[in-house]
Amino acid sequence: MRSAPKPSAAFNERRLANRNNKASGTFEVVGRKIVMGHKKGDRFTVEATEGELQALVDSGHLVRVEPEPTPVVVAATPAEKKVKNG
Amino acid sequence: MARLILKNCYVEINSVDMSDHCSSAEIDVSKDDIDITNFGGAGREHAAGLQDNSFVLNLQQDFSAAEVDATLYPLWFNEVEFPVRVRPTAAGVGTDNPEYSGTCILLEYKPLSGDVGALSETSVSFVVQRDSFDRATS
């Protein structure tokens, strides 16, 4: 049986240093248990310490849901417009 | 006030409802006994010192994903402080159903402990940090 890859010592040090910092994020409940009053499949935004959130993710209760990326609209430069219009 | 038969205690560890794997709950509150006896009397005199509170929960071990071991091991390994909440019943918090809570740390954990043929259970003591212990009635 393969075990999960071990994080580097530097990563572990950084994680332990930050574990009591406040963090927030959007998460989805993926485990069977009720987490913060939310059941499996619910998505919610929460603020807690990084350590609490990381433990919930590590234990398989939650997955972090990245917010939908906002599409970046880049306006065409005058030169590009000229080329387009001939 | 009606006597209470424990049937559906509410137990939450790091915001996860673990009531369905918990078979006993104990809330220990204590204060250091400081001896302030002096020459003014014939008996000892005591004063309350620092609080030293903990939650002792007996959990039925489960190694499935997002169950008992998966929840407790990261708390011990990552040395995280996390909330623990216990209520006499699963009903909402009230004057007749107080919620005891505290920010705890997990210093000792026995993932496996038991005899042949017995249910695998683990008794875990969650030590309350600083002055975070609270009794809420609303």
Side-chain angles (χ1 to χ4, degrees):
Chain A
M1 197 178 123
R2 279 175 58 197
S3 60
K6 274 208 157 180
S8 70
F11 174 82
N12 259 343
E13 243 172 58
R14 210 166 47 242
R15 185 177 58 173
L16 289 175
N18 295 337
R19 66 190 186 272
N20 289 328
N21 291 353
K22 282 279 176 197
S24 67
T26 304
F27 295 87
E28 181 175 336
V29 180
V30 290
R32 198 179 62 81
K33 297 234 182 281
I34 294 172
V35 182
M36 297 174 185
H38 299 275
K39 59 182 189 315
K40 190 173 182 175
D42 286 355
R43 285 182 179 205
F44 61 101
T45 302
V46 67
E47 191 186 298
T49 67
E50 279 189 22
E52 288 167 31
L53 295 174
Q54 191 57 49
L56 287 168
V57 171
D58 287 353
S59 54
H61 291 291
L62 300 180
V63 288
R64 194 180 285 272
V65 180
E66 295 302 329
E68 290 287 318
T70 330
V72 181
V73 181
V74 182
T77 60
E80 284 171 339
K81 274 183 188 166
K82 243 187 205 171
V83 173
K84 227 183 211 177
N85 298 334
Chain B
M1 181 65 201
R3 288 168 180 79
L4 175 69
I5 309 293
L6 292 176
K7 287 180 181 171
N8 60 341
C9 269
Y10 180 76
V11 174
E12 198 181 277
I13 301 168
N14 194 25
S15 306
V16 180
D17 182 354
M18 301 296 287
S19 311
D20 66 348
H21 279 68
C22 186
S23 59
S24 83
E26 190 177 288
I27 303 166
D28 287 339
V29 292
S30 71
K31 287 180 180 169
D32 288 348
D33 180 357
I34 310 295
D35 191 339
I36 55 166
T37 310
N38 53 44
F39 291 124
R44 290 209 171 275
E45 191 173 351
H46 301 264
L50 296 174
Q51 287 187 33
D52 189 7
N53 307 319
S54 63
F55 297 89
V56 182
L57 305 172
N58 199 56
L59 296 158
Q60 296 165 345
Q61 188 55 286
D62 190 334
F63 293 99
S64 311
E67 288 292 350
V68 176
D69 184 61
T71 303
L72 297 183
Y73 189 80
L75 298 175
W76 173 79
F77 184 79
N78 294 340
E79 300 164 20
V80 177
E81 289 187 358
F82 53 93
V84 172
R85 299 173 199 282
V86 175
R87 299 199 293 268
T89 75
V93 182
T95 50
D96 57 351
N97 193 36
E99 180 175 271
Y100 295 88
S101 63
T103 300
C104 297
I105 188 166
L106 183 56
L107 299 172
E108 280 182 50
Y109 168 50
K110 290 178 188 152
L112 196 60
S113 158
D115 298 323
V116 60
L119 177 67
S120 177
E121 292 185 293
T122 181
S123 179
V124 188
S125 179
F126 298 95
V127 185
V128 177
Q129 296 280 72
R130 299 175 290 278
D131 58 351
S132 62
F133 188 79
D134 192 30
R135 177 185 187 271
T137 53
S138 61

